């Protein structure tokens, strides 16, 4: 009897801890969504319900964010430097921000690239410049190899472009091949552990640049701490092995391609993911500026100036780059 009582007590205690972790994670998610509400439109496309912002007028630029990000990574400081001359569309990728998948299916690079392609067709965009930051760069490159006729050019900012044996150290805890374990961890341990590690994680992701004090709300950073976002990020980083099949196709890309990196990037190696990739793609141009991985937020003037030059390379785009700070 005594052993049975101990086992039952332990089971109840374990259930209580798990229940407490789930409740804490759920409350944290609601708090994040209260502090960072949706601010754009919603559009159903094949495979996803997308949250996006469509501002400005002129030649079209579409922006897709990276791992654990969402559209405020661009609206924080970058889009305001472009909307006077361009129509800028920024989108939450499905699983991030306020975009969701609307059916069971793939979650890899091919699936995400296809969804961005559906967005371009649904909005009747005529070969826009596609901007991809970090993991968004891998998705942009995937779309360029699969459906190049949809695009006018690629502008890749600190992009993931080459297969890697391991994820960046800061993201290793997200790597989990089991969807079931990913779901359990996302709803229990990931949120409280993420809060403990948040300062160190952000300092690594932004470094050597300082983390903006208002990144949580204005930059949307709080949304990354929700169980749904953690599960999406864990799924995405567990699927980046798809790059092994995509990278050999870069040599066939016939679009104007530009790659921009911060020289001090602590997440992705600028030489491997920037210079090497640019040398593989015919006519691609590689540039580097001072800064880290999050240059759309920390170096918006230089990034916007570079984007204007890339937009000027899109066939039929008569909008010349305006004289701003030049990336070096």
């Amino acid at each position: 009897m005594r052993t049975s009582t101990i086992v039952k007590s332990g089971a109840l205690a374990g259930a209580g801890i798990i229940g407490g972790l789930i409740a804490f994670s759920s409350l944290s998610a609601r708090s994040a969504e209260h502090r960072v509400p949706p601010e754009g439109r919603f559009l159903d496309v094949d495979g996803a319900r997308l949250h996006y912002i469509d501002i400005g007028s002129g030649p079209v630029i579409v922006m897709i964010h990276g791992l654990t990000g969402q559209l405020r990574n661009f609206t924080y400081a970058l889009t305001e430097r472009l909307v006077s001359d361009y129509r800028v569309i920024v989108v939450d990728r499905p699983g991030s921000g306020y975009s969701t998948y609307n059916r069971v299916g793939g979650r890899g690079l091919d699936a995400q690239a296809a969804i961005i392609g559906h967005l371009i067709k649904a909005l009747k965009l005529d070969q826009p410049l596609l901007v991809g930051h970090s993991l968004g760069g891998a998705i942009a490159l995937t779309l360029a190899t699969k459906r190049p006729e949809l695009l006018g050019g690629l502008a890749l900012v600190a992009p993931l472009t080459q297969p890697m044996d391991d994820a960046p150290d800061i993201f290793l805890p997200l790597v989990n091949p089991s969807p079931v374990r990913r779901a359990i961890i996302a709803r229990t341990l990931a949120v409280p552990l993420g809060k403990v590690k948040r300062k160190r994680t952000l300092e690594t992701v932004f470094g050597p640049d300082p983390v903006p004090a208002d990144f949580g709300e204005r930059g949307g950073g709080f949304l990354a701490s929700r169980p749904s976002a953690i599960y999406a990020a864990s799924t995405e980083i567990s699927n980046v092995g798809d790059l092994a099949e995509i990278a050999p196709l870069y040599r066939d890309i016939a679009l104007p391609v530009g790659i921009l990196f911060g020289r001090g990037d602590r997440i992705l190696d600028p030489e491997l993911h920037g210079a090497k990739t640019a040398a593989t793609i015919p006519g691609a141009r590689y540039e580097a500026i001072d800064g880290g991985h999050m240059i759309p937020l920390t170096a918006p003037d230089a990034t916007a100036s570079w984007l204007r030059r890339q937009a000027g390379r899109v066939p039929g785009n008569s909008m010349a780059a305006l004289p701003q700070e030049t990336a070096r």
Side-chain angles (χ1 to χ4, degrees):
M1 286 290 295
R2 186 174 299 173
T3 301
S4 176
T5 300
I6 292 173
V7 170
K8 289 180 180 178
S9 297
L12 288 172
I17 291 171
I18 292 172
L21 290 170
I22 292 173
F24 176 81
S25 299
S26 179
L27 287 171
S28 296
R30 287 200 291 270
S31 174
E33 291 171 354
H34 175 74
R35 300 175 75 174
V36 187
E39 54 186 346
R41 309 174 189 176
F42 288 87
L43 176 68
D44 288 308
V45 301
D46 186 19
R49 179 171 174 79
L50 297 177
H51 175 239
Y52 72 102
I53 290 176
D54 187 343
I55 49 178
S57 61
V60 183
I61 299 175
V62 176
M63 297 183 170
I64 50 178
H65 61 80
L67 187 76
T68 76
Q70 33 66 59
L71 59 79
R72 288 196 186 203
N73 289 180
F74 295 119
T75 62
Y76 180 88
L78 186 57
T79 56
E80 66 190 48
R81 289 163 167 80
L82 298 167
V83 294
S84 60
D85 300 300
Y86 300 92
R87 179 185 176 188
V88 182
I89 297 166
V90 289
V91 59
D92 287 337
R93 293 189 293 100
S96 302
Y98 286 97
S99 291
T100 57
Y101 291 99
N102 60 18
R103 59 177 169 79
V104 176
R107 301 290 189 268
L109 297 180
D110 276 356
Q112 293 230 12
I115 287 169
I116 297 300
H118 296 325
L119 172 71
I120 290 171
K121 290 189 289 184
L123 295 179
K124 296 180 171 58
L125 307 179
D126 184 17
Q127 297 185 318
L129 176 69
L130 184 61
V131 178
H133 175 236
S134 195
L135 179 63
I139 294 166
L141 282 164
T142 302
L143 185 58
T145 63
K146 305 294 184 179
R147 297 294 305 276
E149 73 280 3
L150 296 178
L151 306 175
L154 298 182
L156 309 176
V157 184
L160 171 67
T161 64
Q162 298 293 333
M164 298 188 298
D165 293 332
D166 295 304
D169 289 347
I170 202 70
F171 294 131
L172 278 175
L174 291 172
V175 179
N176 193 321
S178 168
V180 174
R181 289 198 295 270
R182 289 199 296 265
I184 292 171
I185 292 170
R187 286 161 176 76
T188 55
L189 293 172
V191 173
L193 288 177
K195 288 183 179 293
V196 171
K197 297 179 179 180
R198 185 173 188 271
K199 183 175 184 293
R200 175 175 170 267
T201 299
L202 289 177
E203 287 175 347
T204 302
V205 172
F206 276 87
D209 300 317
V211 181
D214 56 355
F215 174 67
E217 292 186 358
R218 182 178 163 193
F222 288 137
L223 293 180
S225 63
R226 299 171 301 163
S228 60
I230 293 169
Y231 177 79
S234 182
T235 300
E236 290 168 358
I237 203 165
S238 299
N239 286 330
V240 294
D242 296 353
L243 273 175
E245 298 178 3
I246 296 164
L249 304 177
Y250 294 166
R251 62 180 179 271
D252 299 323
I253 294 176
L255 300 166
V257 177
I259 301 177
L260 180 70
F261 258 97
R263 297 185 184 95
D265 196 311
R266 296 176 180 174
I267 302 300
L268 297 173
D269 178 8
E271 182 64 26
L272 174 64
H273 296 279
K276 177 180 177 178
T277 299
T280 303
I281 301 172
R285 300 176 184 176
Y286 170 69
E287 297 183 37
I289 60 174
D290 292 337
H293 191 65
M294 299 299 287
I295 48 178
L297 292 90
T298 60
D301 286 332
T303 303
S305 177
W306 174 82
L307 281 174
R308 287 173 176 272
R309 295 200 303 278
Q310 304 316 306
R313 297 175 62 201
V314 174
N317 188 347
S318 61
M319 180 63 67
L322 300 182
Q324 295 188 7
E325 180 183 348
T326 301
R328 297 182 298 278

